[in-house]
Amino acid sequence: MTDDLLGRHRSVLPDWLALYYEEPIEITHGEGRHVWDSEGNRYLDFFGGILTTMTAHALPEITKAVSEQAGRIVHSSTLYLNRQMVELAERIAKLSGIPDARVFFTTSGTEANDTALLLATTYRRSNTVLAMRNSYHGRSFSSVGITGNRGWSPTSLSPLQTLYVHGGVRTRGPFADLDDYDFVAACVDDLKDLLGHTRPPAALIAEPIQGVGGFTSPPDGLYAAFREVLHERGILWIADEVQTGWGRTGEHFWGWQAHGRSGPPDMLTFAKGIGNGMSIGGVVARSEIMNCLDANSISTFGGTQITMAAGLANLTYLLEHDLQGNARRVGGLLIERLRAVAAQVPAVREVRGRGLMIGIELSRPGTDEADPEAASAVLEAAREGGLLIGKGGGHDTSALRIAPPLSLNVAEAEEGAEILDRALRSIR
């Protein structure tokens, strides 16, 4: 990437628009699980544009669908019938597990969560929302207000009253030393106590696996236990599936299914991977919740013909090629390989995750103190070795985030693990 483009970026775009790497790169094209920069360097992509390129770069089936649709019509708005939008909504409603589901399309996960908050607060006539500590739900005024991660919450002003609940991070906090059963029990007791001190909230919004928070998660069943408490009080459960959905965790199609003994959530939000890079987000909700608004609304760019064509082609490919199963198999091998590496690197505090959603948390050796400098150093070393990964975490961005396209094969997983092995050992 030339200095000129970086200088132009800095002169016209916001200072808070983060760029990776000491020498930022311009990605010009991709194919499969690889991308190339403007200098001709080839990288194995283990981050997929922040989990958006879920299937593969330049996948012919999706490229063909987008190209053919672009030759007919790109956009007409929700004021007109849209066959592609109806077809994709039908498929997502059925896959969601939510009974009598309705689907509303947006352009992003932020907008999807914003819509879910609007629906929940209107339906429940309450502006109080429960959210998880270490959470991230977007960058709009309302979604920033329910984000429990200091690094991504630039203001304390909010139209909502937000109360933060324990449980999203298994290995930190006051309950970290408990076993899984007692951890869940303690979090449930904390939730009950919290509800005894406040007016009834509209909803709990929670990521089954916290994305920006560093791919942390509670023990299976926590949100099912929460749901029982919430259901008794009429409080809604919103599963933020923006990063976990569509089979990425391997074991389940949706993240909420790891906590499913009490049934599906009242609402789920989605985005990122379903478009494989196209701007698709949305909300799935029971009909009485979705239909609770008593004013007109539209979505100018939500559900355009071209994005819906991409989503339909992507979902078809995902299901027909069992990419969920591939995420389980290849992701399992990758996690085992990375844990073997981590056992020899004192700076690695934990390797966690499921399927192709893996976090590596770094700390100063011999302590639980987060080490963001080490995370940045590994990010740089991985890029130099030909691998793109991400960063995250609620403790000063000390976790590495690994989320390749779900079509990753075993050879590519091994290649990426070898590069990460060298990068991690470089900080010893």
Side-chain angles (χ1 to χ4, degrees):
M1 198 212 63
T2 64
D3 289 339
D4 180 58
L5 183 58
L6 178 59
R8 290 162 59 193
H9 175 102
R10 288 173 171 166
S11 68
V12 76
L13 297 173
D15 291 344
W16 41 260
L17 194 63
L19 286 169
Y20 271 172
Y21 309 120
E22 293 178 5
E23 297 181 5
I25 62 175
E26 177 193 6
I27 294 175
T28 57
H29 62 286
E31 182 178 349
R33 277 70 58 192
H34 291 87
V35 294
W36 285 258
D37 69 15
S38 57
E39 303 297 321
N41 299 305
R42 177 177 177 264
Y43 303 95
L44 182 58
D45 185 3
F46 267 30
F47 203 37
I50 319 178
L51 290 83
T52 55
T53 308
M54 178 177 68
T55 309
H57 292 280
L59 190 69
E61 289 84 348
I62 299 176
T63 301
K64 181 173 183 287
V66 169
S67 177
E68 290 180 351
Q69 183 59 51
R72 293 191 293 269
I73 188 169
V74 171
H75 166 259
S76 65
S77 91
T78 53
L79 291 173
Y80 305 93
L81 286 172
N82 181 332
R83 186 174 302 275
Q84 292 88 339
M85 183 166 63
V86 171
E87 290 176 355
L88 186 56
E90 288 171 339
R91 298 188 69 181
I92 291 173
K94 184 176 181 179
L95 288 166
S96 74
I98 295 175
D100 193 21
R102 300 291 188 273
V103 182
F104 177 76
F105 288 105
T106 67
T107 61
S108 68
T110 291
E111 191 186 347
N113 285 332
D114 196 74
T115 302
L117 294 170
L118 170 65
L119 292 168
T121 54
T122 302
Y123 184 78
R124 290 276 296 156
R125 309 305 299 171
S126 169
N127 76 331
T128 301
V129 173
L130 301 172
M132 304 303 294
R133 299 179 185 191
N134 195 50
S135 60
Y136 175 81
H137 298 288
R139 58 172 180 77
S140 67
F141 190 40
S142 66
S143 59
V144 162
I146 59 165
T147 286
N149 186 312
R150 181 181 62 187
W152 293 89
S153 185
T155 176
S156 61
L157 301 175
S158 175
L160 303 168
Q161 178 186 18
T162 307
L163 305 173
Y164 292 102
V165 181
H166 283 295
V169 182
R170 178 65 184 90
T171 60
R172 289 189 182 273
F175 307 143
D177 293 333
L178 302 176
D179 63 27
D180 284 356
Y181 179 87
D182 289 335
F183 180 93
V184 170
C187 291
V188 170
D189 287 343
D190 175 71
L191 173 62
K192 290 178 179 177
D193 182 70
L194 179 63
L195 293 174
H197 294 283
T198 184
R199 296 186 63 81
L204 166 71
I205 184 169
E207 305 157 272
I209 298 177
Q210 295 181 327
V212 169
F215 294 168
T216 61
S217 63
D220 287 357
L222 175 74
Y223 293 120
F226 277 5
R227 175 70 187 280
E228 292 174 4
V229 174
L230 300 173
H231 185 71
E232 291 174 357
R233 295 158 175 80
I235 301 167
L236 304 178
W237 172 29
I238 305 168
D240 180 342
E241 298 277 356
V242 169
Q243 296 197 31
T244 53
W246 316 108
R248 177 166 288 280
T249 68
E251 296 178 24
H252 303 286
F253 194 76
W254 304 106
W256 70 260
Q257 291 170 317
H259 308 269
R261 73 168 186 261
S262 60
D266 299 291
M267 285 189 270
L268 71 80
T269 58
F270 62 85
K272 290 193 182 289
I274 183 59
N276 200 50
M278 299 292 281
S279 296
I280 306 176
V283 182
V284 188
R286 299 199 322 267
S287 60
E288 70 268 24
I289 298 172
M290 185 68 81
N291 294 332
C292 74
L293 303 182
D294 62 0
N296 295 325
S297 190
I298 60 170
S299 184
T300 303
F301 288 107
T304 66
Q305 283 90 339
I306 197 165
T307 58
M308 297 295 94
L312 282 164
N314 190 36
L315 183 57
T316 297
Y317 188 94
L318 174 86
L319 296 174
E320 289 184 351
H321 291 80
D322 187 25
L323 294 194
Q324 177 184 336
N326 190 67
R328 182 178 63 253
R329 293 184 295 272
V330 178
L333 292 171
L334 181 56
I335 289 173
E336 287 182 10
R337 176 75 164 81
L338 293 175
R339 283 179 174 158
V341 171
Q344 303 176 54
V345 180
V348 177
R349 181 176 183 270
E350 182 183 19
V351 176
R352 56 183 175 245
R354 288 183 170 181
L356 289 173
M357 192 172 186
I358 306 168
I360 303 176
E361 184 175 344
L362 304 179
S363 63
R364 291 181 170 82
T367 76
D368 278 342
E369 184 181 354
D371 195 344
E373 292 81 11
S376 294
V378 174
L379 191 83
E380 293 283 353
R383 184 198 62 78
E384 291 173 5
L387 180 71
L388 304 185
I389 58 175
K391 288 192 300 181
H395 292 78
D396 299 317
T397 317
S398 61
L400 306 171
R401 294 203 288 161
I402 298 163
L406 302 191
S407 57
L408 186 78
N409 62 44
V410 171
E412 291 163 341
E414 182 61 32
E415 178 188 352
E418 289 178 1
I419 297 171
L420 276 169
D421 187 341
R422 294 192 295 271
L424 287 165
R425 291 178 191 276
S426 72
I427 63 169
R428 294 179 67 178

